[in-house]
Each structure stands twice: as structure tokens, then as C-alpha cells.
Amino acid sequence: MNKTTLLKPRRCSVAVMIGTVQVGGGAPVVVQSMTNTDTADVDATVKQVAELARAGSELVRVTVNTEAAAAAVPHIREKLDAQNISVPLIGDFHYIGHKLLTAYPACAEALAKYRINPGNVGHGNKRDTQFATMIEVAIKNNRPVRIGVNWGSLDEELLTRMMDENAASKSPKDAKEVMHDAMVASALLSARRAEELGLARDRIVLSCKMSGVQDLIDVYTRLAAQCDYPLHLGLTEAGMGSKGIVASTAALAVLLQQGIGDTIRISLTPEPGGDRTREVVVAQEILQTMGLRAFMPLVAACPGCGRTTSTVFQHLAQDIQSYIRTRMPDWKKGYAGVEAMHVAVMGCVVNGPGESKHANIGISLPGTGEQPNAPVFVDGKKTTTLKGAKIATEFQQIVEDYVRSHYQPRA
């Protein structure tokens, strides 16, 4: 019942290995995230990287902005390895990356990839020299590089030149279009320069991050049409809460549906004291609801209406979602394919039985005025009816039994 058929959109032909994770070359879209701890605080950073990895982040980026941060990176790697957490670490470098990578070779070796921003790697002749230094370190350590252009730190010299050329044109474009052109040009020129310096084509990932949905779609559409490097997607400065989630989803969904994008990050601003892993969950949910990846059993639940004045189904849907997320790490280790399971928690007789039949496991709770019975359907067939105060516990056990009986145990 309701088996997941994953979409197979176009992917770039170039495959880049980041540690043991393949990006591009037909591989599934990879989820990544970034810590917000002080990287120099080894224990705090290890704790957050571990949390992000356990939540499902397949790559984790850390800020390397000071000598203390660079010195801490190998110790972070060692402590993660001691916990059997093998997630590749990416170093995020700005302004002084050339100095840190050369002064701290153990940092360069511990990282699985370097992120370079061509807009702040230096100016004039220094820019070329400092960029070359970082590329040379990458070549020496056989590490890939993400050339990450960001419109908040776009190369001013390039932008000014392109603006001047546009102003002198007989048919000038508007300023926003020139900026989009400059974003793409910055990424492609930097990639070409990296290759000229000796960095292999399969060691390069590109990104052109914007904070506007339509801007992001336009820039990546242009970039994808002009190259076959793997592309990292993300709406930068997406914002907090529902705004950040909606904006990121709106932008990335359009691009992913066109086959554009090989790895994604959802740049959410956490609530004060909020959980950093939220950005991982949102990334997974975007990919899974689009049919691109399967990470965790999906729970379908009705929104409620005047027929469901009781909050019983809301509590049950929340309990089941939490239960599945809690159990998933163990299920994933023990059973193959469980991430594709579908569960339905419905609130009344209108759509409840039908929706429940379409799921692997579904329950139709009684709406207002209905008989206090909750029929349960397994693979389209009614198997039992639950009643009373223990419906949640009993339904969780049915889900647990289904996992054990329907999915192949891993060796």
C-alpha cells in the first residue's frame, strides 16, 4: 500500500566525493547543515555536530574564522570519531582562509571540504594570490572546494565592472539583472580559475545564494544552464519560523523539480534557545514530500473542522509523529525500507476510513457525535477497532508490530 516512488530529476554529470558522501553524478540530493557554536569551543561544537548528524545531516559545516577555531578542528574530528560519528566536516572560510589553512595543516587535513567565498577572499592581486593558496591546499590534501557566491558579499570589483559595461550598453539591463549576471559570472570565473590552478573538475561544487525567492530561482536557473558542476542550494538569510520555512520551500521546490540542485541547506534563524536540528528536519521534509528522498515514515493527519471539535486526534497525531521520530534511529538500523512507511491519523468518518486505507497503517478517530470507536486499517484492510483511554499506546504498538513484520531485518 502507498509505496513511495521517488522522482528521478536531471542531475549534473559530475560527481564530487566529500568524505564518503557523493554529491552530484546522479546521487540523491544530500542534506547538510551548519553549526552555530564557537568552533573554538570543542565540546560544544562536538555536541552540536553530533545532534545534527543524528537528526540526519549528511554533511556539517563549521565556521573557521580564527586561529583558535582552526586549532580546534582536528580535536573536534577526533572526538566525533571516538563517538563513531563519521559525518564529514566542511570548513567555512572568509577573509583569512588562506592563512588558516596554511598555518594549521592539521585543520586542513581534518576537514572534508573547504568553502571559499570569492567575494571576500581578497582584493586586486591579493585576491588571486590568496585564492590560489587555498586551492593549492585543497589540491595537496585532495579535498573538494565549494565556491560559494553570496549576494551579501559579492565581488565588488566584478560587480562594478559589469555595472559600468551595462551602463555603456545601447540596451542596458536593470540593476537586478546585472547583479544576477555577476553572481553567475563570479562562480564560473572562480571555478575556471581553480581548474587552471590544477583543481580537478570533480573537486568543485558551486553555489550562488540569494535571500529573495525569485532571485534565487533566476540565478540558479542561469547557473545550471551554463555548467555541470554539482550545485549547493540554499536561500540565504531565510529568516525565522514559518517565514523561513515557507520561503526556503518555495524557492528550493521550484529548482529541485527542474532537477537543479545536488545538496541543500535550510538556513533558518533559530528561535532563542531553539533547536538547531530544525533546519535538518525541514530539509528532509522538503525532499521527502517532493518524492526525492525517503528519510522517515510520513504521518498524514486531517486539519480538523467543525466535525472534530475534540482535540483527541490532534494529540494522537502529535504523539505518533513524536513516537516515529524517536524510534526511527533504531528502526533504520534494524529494518530496511522502513523510512517509506505511511501512517494516517484521521479525525472523522468523512475522509478517515478512505485515507486510512491508502496508508500502510491508518486510524480513523470518531468525530463529534460519532460512535466512540476508532477503526484501524493495515494495508487497506480493517484489522481492529480501538476504544478507551489507551488508544495512543495501543496504536503505537500496532505501528511497532507492523515495522517488525513488514520490513526486512538488516543483517
Side-chain angles (χ1 to χ4, degrees), residues 185-247:
S186 179
L188 294 178
L189 287 169
S190 296
R192 189 178 307 137
R193 177 59 177 151
E195 288 197 58
E196 290 171 353
L197 290 166
L199 188 65
R201 191 171 188 77
D202 64 358
R203 302 275 80 189
I204 299 172
V205 178
L206 297 185
S207 68
C208 285
K209 289 191 173 183
M210 314 282 280
S211 60
V213 170
Q214 296 299 337
D215 295 313
L216 191 84
I217 293 170
D218 181 65
V219 165
Y220 272 96
T221 301
R222 297 183 190 205
L223 182 62
Q226 297 181 50
C227 74
D228 63 353
Y229 298 107
L231 302 181
H232 168 70
L233 300 187
L235 189 74
T236 190
E237 290 93 37
M240 183 179 288
S242 61
K243 185 269 178 184
I245 294 172
V246 170

Tab-separated table of all heavy atoms in Angstrom, residues 185-247:
chain	number	residue	atom	x	y	z
A	185	ALA	N	28.593	34.876	-13.007
A	185	ALA	CA	29.938	35.084	-13.551
A	185	ALA	C	30.997	34.849	-12.476
A	185	ALA	O	32.040	34.238	-12.743
A	185	ALA	CB	30.057	36.498	-14.118
A	186	SER	N	30.743	35.320	-11.251
A	186	SER	CA	31.701	35.148	-10.173
A	186	SER	C	31.953	33.670	-9.895
A	186	SER	O	33.098	33.233	-9.735
A	186	SER	CB	31.198	35.842	-8.902
A	186	SER	OG	32.100	35.658	-7.833
A	187	ALA	N	30.883	32.891	-9.850
A	187	ALA	CA	31.024	31.456	-9.591
A	187	ALA	C	31.786	30.764	-10.707
A	187	ALA	O	32.730	29.987	-10.456
A	187	ALA	CB	29.643	30.824	-9.407
A	188	LEU	N	31.405	31.045	-11.946
A	188	LEU	CA	32.012	30.347	-13.076
A	188	LEU	C	33.461	30.772	-13.303
A	188	LEU	O	34.319	29.936	-13.621
A	188	LEU	CB	31.187	30.586	-14.341
A	188	LEU	CG	29.779	29.987	-14.321
A	188	LEU	CD1	29.033	30.331	-15.599
A	188	LEU	CD2	29.829	28.475	-14.127
A	189	LEU	N	33.757	32.065	-13.146
A	189	LEU	CA	35.131	32.534	-13.301
A	189	LEU	C	36.036	31.921	-12.229
A	189	LEU	O	37.179	31.532	-12.514
A	189	LEU	CB	35.178	34.062	-13.216
A	189	LEU	CG	34.630	34.823	-14.432
A	189	LEU	CD1	34.500	36.317	-14.096
A	189	LEU	CD2	35.526	34.616	-15.652
A	190	SER	N	35.538	31.830	-11.016
A	190	SER	CA	36.327	31.251	-9.924
A	190	SER	C	36.559	29.761	-10.150
A	190	SER	O	37.653	29.244	-9.884
A	190	SER	CB	35.617	31.479	-8.588
A	190	SER	OG	35.523	32.861	-8.292
A	191	ALA	N	35.523	29.070	-10.636
A	191	ALA	CA	35.678	27.645	-10.924
A	191	ALA	C	36.707	27.428	-12.019
A	191	ALA	O	37.555	26.519	-11.942
A	191	ALA	CB	34.332	27.046	-11.322
A	192	ARG	N	36.658	28.269	-13.052
A	192	ARG	CA	37.615	28.161	-14.153
A	192	ARG	C	39.037	28.410	-13.649
A	192	ARG	O	39.977	27.705	-14.030
A	192	ARG	CB	37.253	29.165	-15.247
A	192	ARG	CG	38.055	28.992	-16.542
A	192	ARG	CD	37.600	29.997	-17.594
A	192	ARG	NE	36.169	29.932	-17.788
A	192	ARG	CZ	35.383	31.002	-17.913
A	192	ARG	NH1	35.908	32.213	-17.870
A	192	ARG	NH2	34.089	30.844	-18.100
A	193	ARG	N	39.172	29.414	-12.783
A	193	ARG	CA	40.488	29.723	-12.226
A	193	ARG	C	41.000	28.558	-11.378
A	193	ARG	O	42.188	28.200	-11.441
A	193	ARG	CB	40.410	31.001	-11.383
A	193	ARG	CG	41.701	31.390	-10.685
A	193	ARG	CD	42.826	31.603	-11.660
A	193	ARG	NE	44.055	32.037	-10.992
A	193	ARG	CZ	45.271	31.771	-11.456
A	193	ARG	NH1	45.423	31.078	-12.576
A	193	ARG	NH2	46.333	32.195	-10.806
A	194	ALA	N	40.119	27.932	-10.598
A	194	ALA	CA	40.513	26.793	-9.769
A	194	ALA	C	41.010	25.642	-10.641
A	194	ALA	O	42.013	24.984	-10.315
A	194	ALA	CB	39.340	26.338	-8.910
A	195	GLU	N	40.322	25.406	-11.747
A	195	GLU	CA	40.765	24.347	-12.661
A	195	GLU	C	42.110	24.693	-13.293
A	195	GLU	O	42.971	23.822	-13.472
A	195	GLU	CB	39.705	24.098	-13.731
A	195	GLU	CG	38.461	23.387	-13.206
A	195	GLU	CD	37.631	22.808	-14.329
A	195	GLU	OE1	38.163	21.989	-15.106
A	195	GLU	OE2	36.443	23.165	-14.426
A	196	GLU	N	42.297	25.969	-13.649
A	196	GLU	CA	43.582	26.387	-14.221
A	196	GLU	C	44.723	26.171	-13.237
A	196	GLU	O	45.860	25.878	-13.633
A	196	GLU	CB	43.517	27.862	-14.615
A	196	GLU	CG	42.616	28.143	-15.823
A	196	GLU	CD	42.402	29.631	-16.043
A	196	GLU	OE1	42.848	30.433	-15.186
A	196	GLU	OE2	41.784	30.002	-17.068
A	197	LEU	N	44.421	26.290	-11.951
A	197	LEU	CA	45.435	26.085	-10.913
A	197	LEU	C	45.687	24.611	-10.646
A	197	LEU	O	46.608	24.259	-9.898
A	197	LEU	CB	44.988	26.771	-9.612
A	197	LEU	CG	44.997	28.302	-9.633
A	197	LEU	CD1	44.220	28.864	-8.446
A	197	LEU	CD2	46.426	28.828	-9.629
A	198	GLY	N	44.858	23.739	-11.221
A	198	GLY	CA	45.087	22.304	-11.089
A	198	GLY	C	44.053	21.542	-10.303
A	198	GLY	O	44.172	20.314	-10.143
A	199	LEU	N	43.026	22.216	-9.803
A	199	LEU	CA	41.978	21.517	-9.067
A	199	LEU	C	41.095	20.761	-10.060
A	199	LEU	O	40.595	21.342	-11.030
A	199	LEU	CB	41.131	22.500	-8.260
A	199	LEU	CG	40.110	21.873	-7.287
A	199	LEU	CD1	40.823	21.099	-6.182
A	199	LEU	CD2	39.212	22.950	-6.682
A	200	ALA	N	40.922	19.477	-9.829
A	200	ALA	CA	40.151	18.647	-10.751
A	200	ALA	C	38.692	19.093	-10.785
A	200	ALA	O	38.153	19.608	-9.804
A	200	ALA	CB	40.238	17.184	-10.338
A	201	ARG	N	38.063	18.862	-11.920
A	201	ARG	CA	36.664	19.254	-12.110
A	201	ARG	C	35.739	18.574	-11.101
A	201	ARG	O	34.758	19.145	-10.645
A	201	ARG	CB	36.232	18.900	-13.538
A	201	ARG	CG	34.900	19.494	-13.946
A	201	ARG	CD	34.654	19.279	-15.432
A	201	ARG	NE	33.469	19.993	-15.878
A	201	ARG	CZ	33.415	21.298	-16.101
A	201	ARG	NH1	34.511	22.024	-15.931
A	201	ARG	NH2	32.304	21.872	-16.500
A	202	ASP	N	36.096	17.332	-10.732
A	202	ASP	CA	35.260	16.604	-9.782
A	202	ASP	C	35.620	16.920	-8.332
A	202	ASP	O	35.306	16.171	-7.420
A	202	ASP	CB	35.327	15.097	-10.033
A	202	ASP	CG	36.718	14.513	-9.808
A	202	ASP	OD1	37.660	15.281	-9.487
A	202	ASP	OD2	36.872	13.292	-9.960
A	203	ARG	N	36.266	18.048	-8.144
A	203	ARG	CA	36.563	18.552	-6.797
A	203	ARG	C	35.883	19.900	-6.551
A	203	ARG	O	36.222	20.585	-5.582
A	203	ARG	CB	38.071	18.726	-6.603
A	203	ARG	CG	38.928	17.487	-6.795
A	203	ARG	CD	39.003	16.640	-5.531
A	203	ARG	NE	37.844	15.803	-5.346
A	203	ARG	CZ	37.576	15.091	-4.245
A	203	ARG	NH1	38.388	15.163	-3.211
A	203	ARG	NH2	36.500	14.354	-4.165
A	204	ILE	N	34.936	20.287	-7.418
A	204	ILE	CA	34.331	21.618	-7.341
A	204	ILE	C	32.817	21.524	-7.209
A	204	ILE	O	32.156	20.813	-7.970
A	204	ILE	CB	34.685	22.460	-8.588
A	204	ILE	CG1	36.199	22.654	-8.697
A	204	ILE	CG2	33.973	23.820	-8.543
A	204	ILE	CD1	36.641	23.314	-10.000
A	205	VAL	N	32.285	22.255	-6.239
A	205	VAL	CA	30.845	22.453	-6.057
A	205	VAL	C	30.604	23.957	-6.105
A	205	VAL	O	31.414	24.737	-5.590
A	205	VAL	CB	30.357	21.888	-4.704
A	205	VAL	CG1	28.867	22.148	-4.509
A	205	VAL	CG2	30.669	20.397	-4.606
A	206	LEU	N	29.505	24.376	-6.721
A	206	LEU	CA	29.200	25.800	-6.815
A	206	LEU	C	27.908	26.139	-6.075
A	206	LEU	O	27.009	25.316	-5.959
A	206	LEU	CB	29.047	26.228	-8.279
A	206	LEU	CG	30.253	26.100	-9.202
A	206	LEU	CD1	29.918	26.694	-10.571
A	206	LEU	CD2	31.483	26.759	-8.611
A	207	SER	N	27.825	27.377	-5.620
A	207	SER	CA	26.565	27.903	-5.076
A	207	SER	C	26.502	29.398	-5.337
A	207	SER	O	27.527	30.071	-5.419
A	207	SER	CB	26.439	27.621	-3.575
A	207	SER	OG	27.390	28.360	-2.824
A	208	CYS	N	25.277	29.902	-5.480
A	208	CYS	CA	25.024	31.339	-5.660
A	208	CYS	C	23.818	31.691	-4.798
A	208	CYS	O	22.677	31.670	-5.265
A	208	CYS	CB	24.726	31.671	-7.123
A	208	CYS	SG	26.151	31.663	-8.223
A	209	LYS	N	24.058	32.008	-3.557
A	209	LYS	CA	22.955	32.163	-2.616
A	209	LYS	C	22.397	33.591	-2.592
A	209	LYS	O	23.152	34.563	-2.536
A	209	LYS	CB	23.387	31.736	-1.220
A	209	LYS	CG	23.574	30.231	-1.076
A	209	LYS	CD	23.729	29.836	0.373
A	209	LYS	CE	23.735	28.336	0.535
A	209	LYS	NZ	23.804	27.946	1.963
A	210	MET	N	21.074	33.655	-2.623
A	210	MET	CA	20.338	34.917	-2.551
A	210	MET	C	19.346	34.805	-1.392
A	210	MET	O	19.055	33.717	-0.905
A	210	MET	CB	19.571	35.170	-3.849
A	210	MET	CG	20.366	34.930	-5.130
A	210	MET	SD	21.495	36.263	-5.511
A	210	MET	CE	20.387	37.466	-6.237
A	211	SER	N	18.782	35.935	-0.968
A	211	SER	CA	17.778	35.896	0.096
A	211	SER	C	16.365	36.121	-0.427
A	211	SER	O	15.406	36.055	0.336
A	211	SER	CB	18.098	36.936	1.181
A	211	SER	OG	18.104	38.241	0.637
A	212	GLY	N	16.219	36.371	-1.735
A	212	GLY	CA	14.902	36.524	-2.346
A	212	GLY	C	14.540	35.287	-3.146
A	212	GLY	O	15.368	34.744	-3.884
A	213	VAL	N	13.310	34.822	-3.001
A	213	VAL	CA	12.890	33.580	-3.645
A	213	VAL	C	13.054	33.646	-5.163
A	213	VAL	O	13.692	32.782	-5.780
A	213	VAL	CB	11.430	33.249	-3.279
A	213	VAL	CG1	10.904	32.089	-4.124
A	213	VAL	CG2	11.321	32.913	-1.795
A	214	GLN	N	12.478	34.662	-5.795
A	214	GLN	CA	12.560	34.752	-7.252
A	214	GLN	C	13.990	34.995	-7.730
A	214	GLN	O	14.392	34.520	-8.800
A	214	GLN	CB	11.627	35.858	-7.769
A	214	GLN	CG	10.153	35.601	-7.498
A	214	GLN	CD	9.639	34.339	-8.161
A	214	GLN	OE1	10.207	33.862	-9.141
A	214	GLN	NE2	8.551	33.794	-7.644
A	215	ASP	N	14.755	35.743	-6.941
A	215	ASP	CA	16.170	35.967	-7.282
A	215	ASP	C	16.920	34.639	-7.300
A	215	ASP	O	17.706	34.365	-8.214
A	215	ASP	CB	16.819	36.909	-6.266
A	215	ASP	CG	16.232	38.307	-6.297
A	215	ASP	OD1	16.083	38.850	-7.402
A	215	ASP	OD2	15.915	38.842	-5.220
A	216	LEU	N	16.697	33.821	-6.278
A	216	LEU	CA	17.399	32.544	-6.175
A	216	LEU	C	17.043	31.637	-7.351
A	216	LEU	O	17.919	31.020	-7.962
A	216	LEU	CB	17.044	31.851	-4.861
A	216	LEU	CG	17.928	30.638	-4.537
A	216	LEU	CD1	19.216	31.103	-3.870
A	216	LEU	CD2	17.209	29.645	-3.633
A	217	ILE	N	15.766	31.572	-7.673
A	217	ILE	CA	15.330	30.725	-8.781
A	217	ILE	C	15.978	31.173	-10.085
A	217	ILE	O	16.480	30.361	-10.872
A	217	ILE	CB	13.796	30.747	-8.900
A	217	ILE	CG1	13.166	30.065	-7.684
A	217	ILE	CG2	13.333	30.063	-10.190
A	217	ILE	CD1	11.665	30.245	-7.580
A	218	ASP	N	16.002	32.484	-10.317
A	218	ASP	CA	16.570	33.010	-11.558
A	218	ASP	C	18.060	32.718	-11.651
A	218	ASP	O	18.548	32.251	-12.693
A	218	ASP	CB	16.320	34.511	-11.646
A	218	ASP	CG	16.867	35.105	-12.945
A	218	ASP	OD1	16.349	34.747	-14.012
A	218	ASP	OD2	17.815	35.906	-12.880
A	219	VAL	N	18.793	32.976	-10.588
A	219	VAL	CA	20.249	32.801	-10.622
A	219	VAL	C	20.621	31.340	-10.817
A	219	VAL	O	21.493	31.009	-11.640
A	219	VAL	CB	20.884	33.362	-9.327
A	219	VAL	CG1	22.315	32.864	-9.175
A	219	VAL	CG2	20.885	34.886	-9.360
A	220	TYR	N	19.967	30.430	-10.092
A	220	TYR	CA	20.329	29.015	-10.227
A	220	TYR	C	19.891	28.444	-11.567
A	220	TYR	O	20.542	27.541	-12.108
A	220	TYR	CB	19.744	28.199	-9.073
A	220	TYR	CG	20.658	28.152	-7.876
A	220	TYR	CD1	20.502	29.022	-6.816
A	220	TYR	CD2	21.705	27.236	-7.815
A	220	TYR	CE1	21.340	28.996	-5.718
A	220	TYR	CE2	22.562	27.192	-6.730
A	220	TYR	CZ	22.374	28.076	-5.680
A	220	TYR	OH	23.228	28.036	-4.598
A	221	THR	N	18.800	28.950	-12.111
A	221	THR	CA	18.390	28.502	-13.438
A	221	THR	C	19.452	28.871	-14.463
A	221	THR	O	19.806	28.074	-15.345
A	221	THR	CB	17.034	29.116	-13.821
A	221	THR	OG1	16.042	28.731	-12.858
A	221	THR	CG2	16.584	28.645	-15.192
A	222	ARG	N	19.986	30.086	-14.349
A	222	ARG	CA	21.057	30.518	-15.255
A	222	ARG	C	22.333	29.704	-15.027
A	222	ARG	O	22.989	29.282	-15.982
A	222	ARG	CB	21.371	31.997	-15.023
A	222	ARG	CG	20.228	32.955	-15.331
A	222	ARG	CD	20.699	34.380	-15.117
A	222	ARG	NE	19.607	35.351	-15.169
A	222	ARG	CZ	19.779	36.614	-15.488
A	222	ARG	NH1	20.984	37.066	-15.780
A	222	ARG	NH2	18.751	37.449	-15.512
A	223	LEU	N	22.677	29.513	-13.757
A	223	LEU	CA	23.915	28.795	-13.434
A	223	LEU	C	23.850	27.354	-13.938
A	223	LEU	O	24.820	26.854	-14.532
A	223	LEU	CB	24.135	28.819	-11.915
A	223	LEU	CG	25.418	28.163	-11.395
A	223	LEU	CD1	26.651	28.860	-11.944
A	223	LEU	CD2	25.433	28.191	-9.857
A	224	ALA	N	22.722	26.689	-13.719
A	224	ALA	CA	22.588	25.297	-14.150
A	224	ALA	C	22.678	25.159	-15.656
A	224	ALA	O	23.159	24.136	-16.174
A	224	ALA	CB	21.265	24.728	-13.649
A	225	ALA	N	22.233	26.186	-16.379
A	225	ALA	CA	22.265	26.134	-17.845
A	225	ALA	C	23.676	26.314	-18.386
A	225	ALA	O	23.936	25.973	-19.550
A	225	ALA	CB	21.351	27.221	-18.416
A	226	GLN	N	24.600	26.820	-17.561
A	226	GLN	CA	25.940	27.139	-18.050
A	226	GLN	C	27.039	26.233	-17.528
A	226	GLN	O	28.211	26.424	-17.865
A	226	GLN	CB	26.275	28.593	-17.689
A	226	GLN	CG	25.359	29.618	-18.344
A	226	GLN	CD	25.745	31.047	-17.990
A	226	GLN	OE1	26.912	31.433	-18.105
A	226	GLN	NE2	24.772	31.835	-17.558
A	227	CYS	N	26.695	25.263	-16.685
A	227	CYS	CA	27.734	24.387	-16.152
A	227	CYS	C	27.133	23.055	-15.734
A	227	CYS	O	25.916	22.915	-15.637
A	227	CYS	CB	28.444	25.039	-14.958
A	227	CYS	SG	27.450	25.068	-13.440
A	228	ASP	N	28.005	22.086	-15.480
A	228	ASP	CA	27.537	20.801	-14.969
A	228	ASP	C	28.206	20.447	-13.649
A	228	ASP	O	28.250	19.286	-13.251
A	228	ASP	CB	27.744	19.690	-15.995
A	228	ASP	CG	29.222	19.462	-16.335
A	228	ASP	OD1	30.072	20.254	-15.876
A	228	ASP	OD2	29.512	18.496	-17.064
A	229	TYR	N	28.735	21.454	-12.938
A	229	TYR	CA	29.228	21.213	-11.589
A	229	TYR	C	28.053	20.881	-10.670
A	229	TYR	O	26.935	21.368	-10.887
A	229	TYR	CB	29.914	22.463	-11.028
A	229	TYR	CG	31.127	22.947	-11.772
A	229	TYR	CD1	31.060	24.104	-12.547
A	229	TYR	CD2	32.342	22.285	-11.678
A	229	TYR	CE1	32.178	24.581	-13.221
A	229	TYR	CE2	33.466	22.762	-12.358
A	229	TYR	CZ	33.375	23.901	-13.122
A	229	TYR	OH	34.477	24.370	-13.789
A	230	PRO	N	28.269	20.105	-9.620
A	230	PRO	CA	27.227	19.941	-8.612
A	230	PRO	C	26.889	21.295	-7.986
A	230	PRO	O	27.782	22.131	-7.768
A	230	PRO	CB	27.866	19.005	-7.582
A	230	PRO	CG	28.929	18.287	-8.329
A	230	PRO	CD	29.460	19.276	-9.321
A	231	LEU	N	25.616	21.513	-7.703
A	231	LEU	CA	25.162	22.791	-7.150
A	231	LEU	C	24.601	22.606	-5.744
A	231	LEU	O	23.799	21.716	-5.495
A	231	LEU	CB	24.089	23.408	-8.055
A	231	LEU	CG	24.496	23.668	-9.509
A	231	LEU	CD1	23.341	24.312	-10.270
A	231	LEU	CD2	25.744	24.542	-9.591
A	232	HIS	N	25.046	23.483	-4.855
A	232	HIS	CA	24.528	23.528	-3.490
A	232	HIS	C	23.437	24.591	-3.432
A	232	HIS	O	23.676	25.753	-3.801
A	232	HIS	CB	25.650	23.866	-2.513
A	232	HIS	CG	25.182	24.212	-1.133
A	232	HIS	ND1	24.635	23.280	-0.281
A	232	HIS	CD2	25.156	25.389	-0.458
A	232	HIS	CE1	24.298	23.870	0.867
A	232	HIS	NE2	24.609	25.154	0.770
A	233	LEU	N	22.247	24.208	-2.991
A	233	LEU	CA	21.118	25.135	-2.930
A	233	LEU	C	20.861	25.606	-1.507
A	233	LEU	O	20.981	24.840	-0.561
A	233	LEU	CB	19.830	24.466	-3.430
A	233	LEU	CG	19.760	23.920	-4.847
A	233	LEU	CD1	18.337	23.483	-5.151
A	233	LEU	CD2	20.242	24.933	-5.859
A	234	GLY	N	20.446	26.844	-1.402
A	234	GLY	CA	20.021	27.360	-0.112
A	234	GLY	C	19.603	28.812	-0.244
A	234	GLY	O	20.256	29.586	-0.950
A	235	LEU	N	18.501	29.145	0.383
A	235	LEU	CA	18.069	30.538	0.439
A	235	LEU	C	18.761	31.169	1.641
A	235	LEU	O	18.462	30.826	2.784
A	235	LEU	CB	16.544	30.610	0.593
A	235	LEU	CG	15.919	31.998	0.460
A	235	LEU	CD1	15.902	32.450	-0.994
A	235	LEU	CD2	14.496	31.997	1.009
A	236	THR	N	19.701	32.049	1.384
A	236	THR	CA	20.458	32.609	2.493
A	236	THR	C	19.612	33.608	3.280
A	236	THR	O	18.721	34.244	2.731
A	236	THR	CB	21.751	33.281	1.976
A	236	THR	OG1	22.592	33.609	3.083
A	236	THR	CG2	21.464	34.535	1.175
A	237	GLU	N	19.911	33.711	4.566
A	237	GLU	CA	19.132	34.594	5.443
A	237	GLU	C	17.624	34.372	5.252
A	237	GLU	O	16.851	35.320	5.086
A	237	GLU	CB	19.460	36.076	5.196
A	237	GLU	CG	20.845	36.483	5.668
A	237	GLU	CD	21.899	36.381	4.561
A	237	GLU	OE1	21.573	36.684	3.395
A	237	GLU	OE2	23.040	35.985	4.857
A	238	ALA	N	17.201	33.109	5.268
A	238	ALA	CA	15.796	32.779	5.002
A	238	ALA	C	14.858	33.369	6.045
A	238	ALA	O	13.712	33.703	5.747
A	238	ALA	CB	15.621	31.262	4.945
A	239	GLY	N	15.343	33.487	7.281
A	239	GLY	CA	14.503	34.058	8.321
A	239	GLY	C	14.150	33.059	9.401
A	239	GLY	O	14.676	31.948	9.464
A	240	MET	N	13.209	33.462	10.240
A	240	MET	CA	12.844	32.675	11.417
A	240	MET	C	11.464	32.038	11.249
A	240	MET	O	10.586	32.596	10.600
A	240	MET	CB	12.846	33.591	12.646
A	240	MET	CG	12.543	32.905	13.968
A	240	MET	SD	12.593	34.071	15.363
A	240	MET	CE	14.349	34.368	15.488
A	241	GLY	N	11.289	30.864	11.846
A	241	GLY	CA	9.973	30.245	11.932
A	241	GLY	C	9.334	29.945	10.593
A	241	GLY	O	10.005	29.565	9.632
A	242	SER	N	8.018	30.162	10.535
A	242	SER	CA	7.274	29.793	9.334
A	242	SER	C	7.734	30.574	8.108
A	242	SER	O	7.745	30.050	6.993
A	242	SER	CB	5.768	30.004	9.556
A	242	SER	OG	5.487	31.360	9.836
A	243	LYS	N	8.158	31.828	8.285
A	243	LYS	CA	8.617	32.613	7.142
A	243	LYS	C	9.828	31.957	6.495
A	243	LYS	O	9.901	31.798	5.274
A	243	LYS	CB	8.952	34.040	7.586
A	243	LYS	CG	9.330	34.983	6.430
A	243	LYS	CD	10.832	34.993	6.141
A	243	LYS	CE	11.197	35.884	4.955
A	243	LYS	NZ	12.634	35.806	4.624
A	244	GLY	N	10.799	31.572	7.302
A	244	GLY	CA	11.993	30.944	6.771
A	244	GLY	C	11.700	29.614	6.111
A	244	GLY	O	12.262	29.286	5.058
A	245	ILE	N	10.811	28.840	6.713
A	245	ILE	CA	10.465	27.534	6.157
A	245	ILE	C	9.729	27.687	4.833
A	245	ILE	O	10.048	27.026	3.835
A	245	ILE	CB	9.610	26.736	7.164
A	245	ILE	CG1	10.439	26.389	8.402
A	245	ILE	CG2	9.062	25.463	6.512
A	245	ILE	CD1	9.640	25.787	9.530
A	246	VAL	N	8.742	28.581	4.810
A	246	VAL	CA	7.944	28.767	3.593
A	246	VAL	C	8.802	29.321	2.465
A	246	VAL	O	8.738	28.846	1.322
A	246	VAL	CB	6.743	29.695	3.871
A	246	VAL	CG1	6.053	30.081	2.564
A	246	VAL	CG2	5.753	29.013	4.808
A	247	ALA	N	9.621	30.326	2.765
A	247	ALA	CA	10.459	30.929	1.718
A	247	ALA	C	11.444	29.921	1.154
A	247	ALA	O	11.628	29.814	-0.070
A	247	ALA	CB	11.193	32.146	2.276
